[in-house]
Amino acid sequence: MIHQFINNGYYIVLDVNSGAVHSVDEEMYDVIGELAKRVPDMARPEKLPEGARRETVEALSGKYPAGEIAECLDEAQELVDLGELFAADVYQRFVTDFKKRKTVVKSLCLHIAHDCNLACRYCFADEGEYHGRRSLMSYEVGCQALDFLIANSGHRTNLEVDFFGGEPTLNWKVVEDLVAYGRKREKETGKHFRFTVTTNGVLLDDEKIDFCNREMSNVVLSLDGRREVNDRMRPFPGGGGSYDVIVPKFQHFVERRGKKDYFVRGTFTRYNKDFAADVIHYADLGFDKLSMEPVVAPPEAPYAIREEDLPEILEQYDLLAREYIKRAKEGRPFKFFHFMMDLSQGPCVAKRLAGCGSGTEYLAVTPWGDLYPCHQFVGNEKFLLGNVRDGIKNTEIQDEFKLCNVYAKEKCRDCYARFYCSGGCAANSWNFHGTITDAYDIGCEMQRKRIECAIMIRAALGDLGQDDGYRPKDPSEE
Ligand code: SF4
Ligand code: SF4
Ligand code: SF4
């Protein structure tokens, strides 16, 4: 199976099953396109069928000289011999009984505060109140959560804990104490905690910044971009925008952060379909590690992204990709999370098996210790999995989450992105289809476009190397 696309003047051929990416000229692009109509996936080494070669020459003879087409066909044969074109489909081999798959917990999202000092209009947390249960996590519950993670992590050494909310800085003393507890448990167990925090920035001060820079492997700073965009969706509870309070704090934070990881992360909605301008705005503010995600929202929400918004949104990714290349060439690069695709490592089979990991490897913990598949499901009792004291009780729901991956989903079977995608967002699938094991089609369109952009960027920056192309492995080897 191949996927071909032209983006920003680059003619790209992705050989889906081998993962090989070829940036070619128009003629070779056309030749491969014609061959693809006639050649099945091949076990190598195998010769291109004579009939397919002849018919390709005939189909393109009005456009190119026959001798040139023959040269392209020979080149195509070389790629087949290398296993980089029309490679055999190994996908089906990986389809197993996913419910039987044993999983370990690798990361927790600790809802350290179900409370917030902002009132974002798209807030999954009901503006931090989580549908009436405003609450802070106690130190004791936090310790039980870390112990639960250690006990359920199997042989895995590196464990991730994200301090999340609401707004974690509203319960900062507990955050500090839990990091200390985690460091103590590391010594006792040989595990290693990688702590991260997601904050809206309102209460950031030097003390918290220094603590984060010492202890947090990554910090996610929430901001939606341009002032008018941010302030429309991220106001204070009494009204009034948050941009002017937050931006200087984030700039100060990033200055002190040095080379350590951080992301400025935003959410875009149908109110700012021109979100590329918001990402570029981040870069203009001096931030260089950026992320912008489509809103997760019920379809009836006025700000939810609709199918008719897609053409404009996809165009924005193209626009952003061109700016990404331009700035990289000018020596003022920025990173955009979705364009940072490592083609040489290829897709991570383990990650694809887990999907985003929600419900299996990644769990959300409420302030009182209940476990949910991820923050988007908190408060929906159907998805209550158990709690940090007694462990997971609702294994039926957990089994369903094991099916949230590209190998188990029908829609992913014929999708070219299946080796790069983690299987989409279960929460969005639930919102749009009433089941977590479908694929959220709007998200899929965006995902496929982002992958195309990421590949094109690599071609444009002269970064498609010999090593590009993965060999999918049997997941049981992971
Ligand atoms: S900062 Fe986060 S928790 Fe607070 S209202 Fe906004 S989205 Fe909700
Ligand atoms: S983009 Fe959608 S259909 Fe394609 S692999 Fe990802 S979840 Fe599946
Ligand atoms: S289900 Fe969606 S919102 Fe939840 S962790 Fe996965 S990608 Fe994120």
Side-chain angles (χ1 to χ4, degrees):
M1 180 189 193
I2 63 163
H3 175 64
Q4 291 184 283
F5 61 94
I6 304 167
N7 190 317
N8 196 22
Y10 291 89
Y11 292 79
I12 308 280
V13 179
L14 168 66
D15 186 58
V16 175
N17 294 328
S18 68
V21 178
H22 310 289
S23 178
V24 297
D25 60 18
E26 186 179 353
E27 191 172 348
M28 186 68 176
Y29 184 89
D30 287 345
V31 166
I32 292 176
E34 290 299 329
L35 279 174
K37 295 177 196 163
R38 300 168 171 91
V39 174
D41 290 339
M42 300 167 88
R44 67 176 174 141
E46 213 174 302
K47 291 288 163 219
L48 289 168
E50 265 316 310
R53 289 182 68 112
R54 193 179 55 249
E55 286 172 27
T56 297
V57 174
E58 282 165 14
L60 294 173
S61 61
K63 197 171 176 188
Y64 307 109
E68 286 183 17
I69 300 171
E71 272 176 38
C72 289
L73 286 166
D74 290 343
E75 275 178 49
Q77 180 65 61
E78 282 172 29
L79 294 176
V80 170
D81 293 343
L82 289 167
E84 295 183 356
L85 195 64
F86 305 123
D89 187 355
V90 289
Y91 178 76
Q92 283 305 320
R93 220 165 27 90
F94 297 161
V95 178
T96 61
D97 186 345
F98 288 95
K99 285 191 181 174
K100 287 206 186 111
R101 197 169 66 94
K102 289 249 176 303
T103 54
V104 296
V105 185
K106 297 174 179 172
S107 71
L108 289 184
C109 173
L110 290 192
H111 289 218
I112 207 79
H114 272 190
D115 196 358
C116 195
N117 41 17
L118 287 185
C120 304
R121 291 171 63 184
Y122 48 59
C123 183
F124 60 90
D126 188 26
E127 296 167 16
E129 293 189 23
Y130 284 88
H131 316 287
R133 292 192 76 177
R134 202 178 265 261
S135 170
L136 301 179
M137 183 178 282
S138 67
Y139 174 66
E140 289 68 30
V141 169
C143 292
Q144 286 167 345
L146 297 191
D147 289 339
F148 166 85
L149 176 56
I150 291 168
N152 288 277
S153 58
H155 294 303
R156 194 180 167 87
T157 306
N158 292 319
L159 307 176
E160 306 202 2
V161 174
D162 187 28
F163 293 105
F164 201 75
E167 172 51 34
T169 54
L170 292 176
N171 197 11
W172 196 246
K173 176 78 173 73
V174 170
V175 171
E176 290 177 334
D177 291 348
L178 286 177
V179 169
Y181 180 73
R183 298 293 177 229
K184 176 170 137 321
R185 297 292 283 138
E186 281 178 340
K187 292 197 187 89
E188 293 164 359
T189 60
K191 302 278 182 182
H192 176 68
F193 284 110
R194 194 175 168 276
F195 291 109
T196 60
V197 65
T198 301
T199 178
N200 66 25
V202 174
L203 290 179
L204 278 181
D205 55 24
D206 280 350
E207 213 178 302
K208 292 189 187 73
I209 291 172
D210 288 346
F211 181 80
C212 288
N213 289 344
R214 222 172 34 246
E215 298 288 357
M216 302 290 171
S217 307
N218 206 338
V219 177
V220 178
L221 308 169
S222 304
L223 177 77
D224 280 357
R226 293 162 292 178
R227 179 184 279 105
E228 65 277 15
V229 172
N230 182 82
D231 288 353
R232 179 173 188 184
M233 294 308 278
R234 299 180 67 82
F236 284 100
S242 56
Y243 180 98
D244 287 332
V245 173
I246 287 164
V247 167
K249 291 187 186 231
F250 283 172
Q251 286 172 316
H252 182 57
F253 193 143
V254 167
E255 221 176 85
R256 290 173 78 114
R257 186 121 180 108
K259 293 201 180 326
K260 292 193 89 173
D261 280 343
Y262 75 91
F263 268 99
V264 172
R265 182 199 186 281
T267 298
F268 73 87
T269 71
R270 81 184 308 258
Y271 295 153
N272 62 318
K273 285 177 279 179
D274 60 343
F275 64 90
D278 294 295
V279 180
I280 293 164
H281 182 70
Y282 292 150
D284 290 340
L285 288 171
F287 304 123
D288 63 355
K289 297 179 186 73
L290 318 174
S291 154
M292 180 64 84
E293 304 298 325
V295 70
V296 178
E300 64 278 7
Y303 50 81
I305 292 164
R306 300 181 197 156
E307 209 173 332
E308 68 254 34
D309 301 331
L310 271 174
E312 196 177 337
I313 288 171
L314 302 188
E315 171 59 30
Q316 289 291 303
Y317 284 117
D318 283 336
L319 202 154
L320 189 58
R322 291 196 291 273
E323 187 67 17
Y324 185 101
I325 294 163
K326 179 169 163 280
R327 292 194 184 209
K329 287 185 173 169
E330 288 169 358
R332 46 187 194 120
F334 63 85
K335 287 183 175 171
F336 180 63
F337 179 76
H338 287 297
F339 293 164
M340 292 160 60
M341 207 172 73
D342 187 345
L343 297 175
S344 64
Q345 282 199 350
C348 165
V349 175
K351 194 166 170 210
R352 275 180 290 122
L353 264 180
C356 63
S358 61
T360 54
E361 300 178 340
Y362 166 84
L363 302 170
V365 186
T366 65
W368 49 97
D370 281 351
L371 294 166
Y372 285 90
C374 89
H375 59 282
Q376 289 287 352
F377 293 100
V378 166
N380 184 338
E381 293 308 300
K382 175 179 159 40
F383 290 99
L384 175 61
L385 292 170
N387 65 62
V388 291
R389 289 166 295 278
D390 309 321
I392 291 178
K393 296 288 170 213
N394 192 346
T395 50
E396 235 172 77
I397 286 286
Q398 191 167 45
D399 282 350
E400 242 185 276
F401 275 86
K402 287 183 184 172
L403 298 177
C404 293
N405 66 71
V406 291
Y407 293 112
K409 288 186 182 182
E410 189 66 34
K411 273 186 186 165
C412 304
R413 194 157 296 170
D414 298 318
C415 176
Y416 92 80
R418 64 184 188 241
F419 289 131
Y420 294 96
C421 177
S422 305
C425 169
N428 260 329
S429 171
W430 173 255
N431 284 337
F432 278 78
H433 298 293
T435 163
I436 56 166
T437 49
D438 206 318
Y440 164 55
D441 306 277
I442 296 174
C444 291
E445 289 290 326
M446 290 189 256
Q447 168 75 317
R448 287 189 278 260
K449 173 52 102 177
R450 291 188 299 246
I451 292 170
E452 289 188 357
C453 287
I455 292 174
M456 182 278 289
I457 286 169
R458 295 285 298 275
L461 296 178
D463 212 13
L464 278 178
Q466 286 275 309
D467 292 339
D468 283 331
Y470 59 85
R471 298 289 173 275
K473 286 183 285 178
D474 190 320
S476 61
E477 293 164 16
E478 295 279 335

